[in-house]
């Protein structure tokens, strides 16, 4: 069976999806710690995620697509194109971003609560506290 061509920065992200699936089945502090460790490892390997962008309005720069839950605003990111497509075409434009750069940007962005990874299915909501844990002492 021919394997589809995957962007190199996304290879290995299935480990993140598996860890999140485990967390969804068993939401324990240990499973959360494991999931954050898996995300950190992918980040340290130079892993990337797919981020959704909104076209610039009136000559401004592109904005990361945000999702609002409970009155809080989050950036959306996807571990694979399969995860992104589960949103039923609600994402218009995407690009690859380094996990580390995305997380650092989220920490500095005002009005952003954090990053929701895979908002449609294998979901984890990484608030700024969890992002700092993933980034470690960087």
């Amino acid at each position: 069976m021919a394997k589809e061509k995957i962007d190199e920065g996304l290879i290995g992200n299935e480990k993140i999806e598996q860890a999140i699936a485990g967390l969804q089945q068993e939401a324990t502090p240990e499973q959360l710690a494991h999931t954050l460790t898996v995300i950190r490892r992918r980040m340290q390997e130079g892993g990337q995620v797919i981020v959704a962008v909104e076209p610039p309005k009136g000559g401004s720069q592109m904005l990361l697509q945000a999702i609002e839950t409970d009155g809080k605003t989050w950036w959306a990111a996807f571990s694979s194109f399969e995860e992104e497509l589960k949103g039923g075409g609600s994402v218009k434009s995407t690009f690859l971003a380094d996990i580390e750069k995305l997380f650092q940007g989220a920490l500095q962005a005002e009005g952003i609560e954090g990053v929701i990874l895979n908002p449609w299915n294998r979901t984890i909501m990484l608030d700024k506290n969890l992002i700092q844990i993933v980034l470690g002492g960087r």
Side-chain angles (χ1 to χ4, degrees):
M1 205 154 117
K3 202 163 186 213
E4 291 177 42
K5 177 133 178 52
I6 303 176
D7 266 286
E8 282 191 22
L10 300 177
I11 295 172
N13 283 0
E14 65 280 352
K15 295 174 195 159
I16 294 175
E17 293 169 17
Q18 291 162 357
I20 294 170
L23 181 62
Q24 288 175 329
Q25 289 170 348
E26 188 183 353
T28 63
E30 294 80 14
Q31 193 63 41
L32 176 61
H34 169 71
T35 303
L36 296 178
T37 299
V38 170
I39 294 170
R40 177 186 293 142
R41 278 194 200 122
R42 282 297 301 134
M43 179 188 78
Q44 290 170 338
E45 294 166 2
Q48 295 180 313
V49 289
I50 301 160
V51 289
V53 292
E54 296 175 3
K57 294 177 180 78
S60 66
Q61 57 190 28
M62 279 196 296
L63 297 171
L64 290 183
Q65 188 173 356
I67 294 176
E68 208 166 296
T69 63
D70 302 326
K72 296 176 179 172
T73 305
W74 303 75
W75 283 345
F78 305 92
S79 57
S80 65
F81 286 106
E82 291 78 27
E83 284 294 326
E84 180 221 323
L85 292 172
K86 290 176 182 167
S90 60
V91 174
K92 306 288 180 265
S93 234
T94 60
F95 71 92
L96 292 177
D98 289 337
I99 295 171
E100 185 170 1
K101 288 190 174 109
L102 177 68
F103 286 172
Q104 288 172 339
L107 287 179
Q108 294 166 6
E110 285 191 35
I112 294 294
E113 198 67 25
V115 176
I116 296 180
L117 196 52
N118 299 332
W120 323 129
N121 182 30
R122 297 265 182 244
T123 303
I124 186 167
M125 297 172 85
L126 298 165
D127 63 17
K128 290 185 178 184
N129 184 34
L130 292 178
I131 289 171
Q132 285 182 313
I133 291 169
V134 170
L135 288 171
R138 290 179 180 238

